[in-house]
Amino acid sequence: DQQVKQNSPSLSVQEGRISILNCDYTNSMFDYFLWYKKYPAEGPTFLISISSIKDKNEDGRFTVFLNKSAKHLSLHIVPSQPGDSAVYFCAASGVQGAQKLVFGQGTRLTINP
Amino acid sequence: NAGVTQTPKFRILKIGQSMTLQCAQDMNHNYMYWYRQDPGMGLKLIYYSVGAGITDKGEVPNGYNVSRSTTEDFPLRLELAAPSQTSVYFCASSPGPMSYGYTFGSGTRLTVV
């Protein structure tokens, strides 16, 4: 019973182009969605979030889109840079309180020069 | 500004041994969490705490115990280690509002042999 799914284990993108990472969820009670970035041997770092009352949130090169009817969110990175190479996790909260996050499996993004 | 500090970074345990993973945060966050990450998987919640003296089980609590005697510290205890507990363990803290996300520690890589 995986409530948050990232169906692409890996993604390879040319430097300077757009990276699009996708995430699907099953529980309509989630009210907040977040993206985390993780480098090897480090903990995940918070990247960007979006409330369920919005459909878009931007922060510099990063934009998250939320499509509630499809239960789908995506992270756009424009332009992609070599330092963006990492594993990206989407996460959702709002079910059962206490700000608990449910994580997807992660997508490994590789930016090629 | 240490953030979330986890010790040790690496540990090898024999089956049946016990150990405590330490976690401390200096941001005065009320919420603290323990997650584990298995290879190719997302993070799964083990235990969480909403404040000193209050703890509760997450998705995968079996074989673990926690305590929260102070706001700063949230140790995770493994009793009778089993190979299935081989994983990377992450501690995290949060001020509450999901727009800020969690702050994660750098993780403890545990191998049970």
Side-chain angles (χ1 to χ4, degrees):
Chain A
D1 177 18
Q2 189 137 16
Q3 298 187 71
V4 179
K5 297 181 184 179
Q6 294 175 257
N7 292 317
S8 298
S10 63
L11 176 67
S12 187
V13 174
Q14 208 73 19
E15 182 179 356
R17 305 293 292 267
I18 183 171
S19 295
I20 300 176
L21 295 97
N22 294 304
C23 180
D24 298 299
Y25 61 95
T26 57
N27 195 326
S28 58
M29 298 301 289
F30 287 135
D31 63 3
Y32 236 98
F33 302 89
L34 302 90
W35 285 94
Y36 282 82
K37 177 179 179 179
K38 186 182 180 305
Y39 292 120
E42 294 184 11
T45 54
F46 171 66
L47 204 52
I48 192 169
S49 65
I50 186 168
S51 163
S52 61
I53 63 173
K54 296 186 175 181
D55 54 18
K56 179 182 174 181
N57 190 26
E58 286 181 83
D59 185 1
R61 295 186 298 115
F62 302 93
T63 303
V64 56
F65 295 93
L66 176 62
N67 182 335
K68 283 187 292 181
S69 60
K71 294 191 178 67
H72 177 84
L73 66 154
S74 61
L75 175 69
H76 293 211
I77 306 174
V78 182
S80 300
Q81 299 174 352
D84 296 330
S85 294
V87 176
Y88 289 78
F89 291 97
C90 73
S93 78
V95 179
Q96 299 177 352
Q99 314 296 357
K100 293 183 288 185
L101 287 177
V102 179
F103 285 83
Q105 312 95 303
T107 296
R108 182 177 300 279
L109 175 65
T110 303
I111 306 301
N112 302 307
Chain B
N1 55 340
V4 177
T5 303
Q6 289 185 240
T7 55
K9 292 192 181 302
F10 304 95
R11 183 72 186 268
I12 297 174
L13 274 184
K14 293 185 178 179
I15 294 172
Q17 288 186 320
S18 301
M19 75 165 293
T20 299
L21 282 66
Q22 302 291 345
C23 176
Q25 54 95 4
D26 61 358
M27 298 170 285
N28 202 34
H29 288 172
N30 283 326
Y31 297 84
M32 294 189 75
Y33 309 86
W34 275 104
Y35 283 85
R36 60 177 283 175
Q37 184 191 13
D38 298 327
M41 305 292 287
L43 286 75
K44 293 192 181 298
L45 182 64
I46 306 171
Y47 269 95
Y48 66 97
S49 169
V50 300
I54 307 169
T55 63
D56 207 347
K57 296 177 181 178
E59 184 182 358
V60 289
N62 291 344
Y64 307 95
N65 275 302
V66 293
S67 59
R68 185 99 181 266
S69 56
T70 66
T71 299
E72 295 78 19
D73 299 298
F74 191 40
L76 177 72
R77 177 84 177 161
L78 277 72
E79 305 282 2
L80 299 175
S84 60
Q85 293 178 305
T86 294
S87 190
V88 181
Y89 292 83
F90 291 102
C91 178
S93 72
S94 167
M98 270 293 106
S99 57
Y100 298 104
Y102 292 176
T103 299
F104 280 89
S106 57
T108 295
R109 182 175 295 275
L110 175 68
T111 303
V112 181
V113 296

